[in-house]
Amino acid sequence: MSPVKSINVSSLVAIDVHVHMEHGGKDSVADLAATKYFGDSGVSHDPEAIANYYRSRNMACVVFTVDESLTGRPVLSNESIAEFAANNADIALAFASINPHRGAEGVAEARRLVASGTIRGLKLHPPLQEFFPNDKIAYPLYEVFAEARLPVLFHTGHSGIGTGMPGGGGVRLKYGSPMPIDDVAVDFPDMPIIMAHPSFPWQEEAISICLHKPQVYIDLSGWSPKYFPPILLQYANTLLKHKMLFGSDYPLIAPDRWLADFKKIDIREEVRPLILKDNAMKLFGLGGS
């Protein structure tokens, strides 16, 4: 029997905390609009290619799907995400995604997945799943992850999905406001929370929440670093240097592009390794072996 693989963080240059695993095609209306908005990243949706991409670059990744029906895009199962991470345990961690509107059935799936030990957190996308984070409909889900002290990652800010489509593809940007996440942080103080993306047009609100609530982090995915607003750079370099996380938004933004642009922005040299790897190591309890 071969030994069980695990992530050897000493060999890593970075941990990408925001990687979407998606269906193979890119021909839905929402996919085509997203490609027009982000540009063609040139990376593959194929699971084997994703694993090879990160392994060849000495990077680990947090992978997930988004459990939603608004866009009509096919959704991978949480089981397939967990299986990918198990098969690539030297570079991958799996997050589940469960639409809060699924109610008791979704909570039961969450409990089963957490008990199995195959997932390391929960990914939620309020604009696509059509809920405010502080809506009590989501609280039973939070209770499962809070009990396990596993992180919940929320999409915040503008949605690239739906941009330019008639009516924004039905995506309501109000659900991307980070401020309702402050209520979640108050009500679940032991549950780590990650606010994904520069939270345009609510960046200062996101910074305030992250500064005020000890268990809240910001991942920097979804934008090229060259577009980061000055206030985000200011806090990343100072008061929030231990709470910023590298994320790409693969496959919409390739990590190679993100990292190349990150080298060109005004981040202090001693802060770069915190953002790229060290903060995520601490958050996920990956240790130093």
Side-chain angles (χ1 to χ4, degrees):
M1 187 180 208
S2 59
V4 177
K5 293 181 179 179
S6 61
I7 295 176
N8 179 6
V9 292
S10 65
S11 67
L12 297 179
V13 298
I15 300 172
D16 185 344
V17 306
H18 203 107
V19 175
H20 290 265
M21 293 193 67
E22 301 181 346
H23 63 97
K26 296 188 283 186
D27 53 357
S28 74
V29 174
D31 285 319
L32 293 172
T35 299
K36 183 177 180 181
Y37 177 74
F38 286 100
D40 188 349
S41 66
V43 297
S44 175
H45 291 224
D46 177 71
E48 184 177 353
I50 295 171
N52 290 338
Y53 184 100
Y54 282 91
R55 192 173 286 115
S56 68
R57 288 159 175 78
N58 294 319
M59 287 193 282
C61 55
V62 174
V63 294
F64 45 73
T65 185
V66 177
D67 181 17
E68 58 90 11
S69 56
L70 179 64
T71 66
R73 303 160 84 212
V75 176
L76 298 180
S77 69
N78 288 316
E79 286 76 12
S80 65
I81 303 299
E83 181 180 7
F84 172 86
N87 290 339
N88 298 280
D90 58 317
I91 52 99
L93 300 173
F95 274 29
S97 182
I98 295 172
N99 193 325
H101 292 289
R102 287 170 57 191
E105 179 265 331
V107 174
E109 180 177 346
R111 290 196 182 281
R112 177 175 55 78
L113 289 168
V114 169
S116 74
T118 59
I119 62 158
R120 300 291 294 272
L122 176 68
K123 158 68 176 179
L124 295 173
H125 196 306
L128 297 188
Q129 294 169 327
E130 300 181 283
F131 77 103
F132 287 108
N134 60 355
D135 190 323
K136 292 302 189 287
I137 194 174
Y139 273 48
L141 274 178
Y142 302 151
E143 288 167 4
V144 174
F145 287 86
E147 182 180 359
R149 294 181 180 249
L150 292 175
V152 176
L153 187 156
F154 293 92
H155 171 98
T156 67
H158 184 86
S159 174
I161 303 300
T163 295
M165 294 175 64
V171 177
R172 300 177 192 272
L173 297 178
K174 64 182 180 180
Y175 295 123
S177 170
M179 192 52 74
I181 296 172
D182 188 61
D183 287 335
V184 181
V186 170
D187 295 336
F188 297 92
D190 296 324
M191 183 179 74
I193 291 171
I194 305 169
M195 296 186 293
H197 315 311
S199 300
F200 176 81
W202 302 285
Q203 186 61 73
E204 292 186 16
E205 291 182 11
I207 288 170
S208 176
I209 296 165
C210 190
L211 191 63
H212 194 256
K213 301 300 188 293
Q215 83 277 28
V216 177
Y217 297 77
I218 291 173
D219 95 34
L220 299 170
S221 66
W223 288 39
S224 162
K226 66 184 178 181
Y227 298 120
F228 290 172
I231 193 166
L232 182 58
L233 292 178
Q234 175 189 338
Y235 279 88
N237 270 321
T238 56
L239 295 176
L240 295 181
K241 64 184 179 182
H242 294 293
K243 303 184 80 181
M244 295 285 177
L245 306 167
F246 159 48
S248 66
D249 214 6
Y250 186 109
L252 295 172
I253 295 179
D256 286 351
R257 175 194 173 190
W258 193 101
L259 291 168
D261 289 344
F262 186 64
K263 288 180 179 178
K264 300 173 186 175
I265 65 172
D266 189 20
I267 294 289
R268 296 173 181 173
E269 287 308 310
E270 67 273 19
V271 174
R272 289 180 184 275
L274 299 177
I275 294 173
L276 292 178
K277 182 172 100 168
D278 295 353
N279 294 341
M281 279 176 53
K282 237 178 237 190
L283 174 59
F284 299 128
L286 293 178
S289 62

